[in-house]
Amino acid sequence: LVSKNLGGHRGIVEHDIASGDSEYDGLKVRGVQADVLDNDGDLGYVRVVDGGGVHLMSEDGLGDFSFSVFPTRLPQDDVVVKVRAPRARDGIAYVKVNGGGEASLTFAAGSMVPQEVAVTYNTDAIALSIT
């Protein structure tokens, strides 16, 4: 991990591949981003943890993924995190979060229990003949 920002440290975990199989020897593999949250100071952070994998969806509604969100310090009061589905330039949200355009996650005072956000394809986009 080579760089530092206000929220901690961020860097890329790199890979080298060596094999007697010429199809694999020297193959380039995309790095994996790693974040280390800094626990110094009085600030809390909200952590997003991706479940991993490839996030591909099809217009027929196949494929979905999820991620977890949680505060990194015990909140003294309620913490509300709003998660919004992105909109394309045409104004259409092609994905939904927790079944809609926005999800509101409330972490009660004293709770750090992770909450899951499910991302699915917005099949309404098909019904409207947008894609």
Side-chain angles (χ1 to χ4, degrees), residues 39-61:
N39 63 359
D40 297 335
D42 297 328
L43 298 176
Y45 300 97
V46 173
R47 181 76 172 126
V48 176
V49 178
D50 186 353
V54 178
H55 307 306
L56 294 175
M57 292 180 238
S58 66
E59 292 179 345
D60 58 5

Side-chain angles (χ1 to χ4, degrees), residues 57-119:
M57 292 180 238
S58 66
E59 292 179 345
D60 58 5
L62 296 176
D64 57 20
F65 65 93
S66 64
F67 58 91
S68 297
V69 178
F70 62 93
T72 61
R73 290 188 185 263
L74 200 62
Q76 301 301 311
D77 200 348
D78 289 356
V79 174
V80 178
V81 176
K82 293 197 184 245
V83 181
R84 288 182 199 86
R87 294 192 172 272
R89 288 184 192 173
D90 58 10
I92 302 299
Y94 288 95
V95 298
K96 291 183 177 183
V97 291
N98 287 358
E102 182 174 286
S104 184
L105 311 177
T106 301
F107 298 92
S111 175
M112 293 175 56
V113 176
Q115 295 187 38
E116 187 171 341
V117 176
V119 180

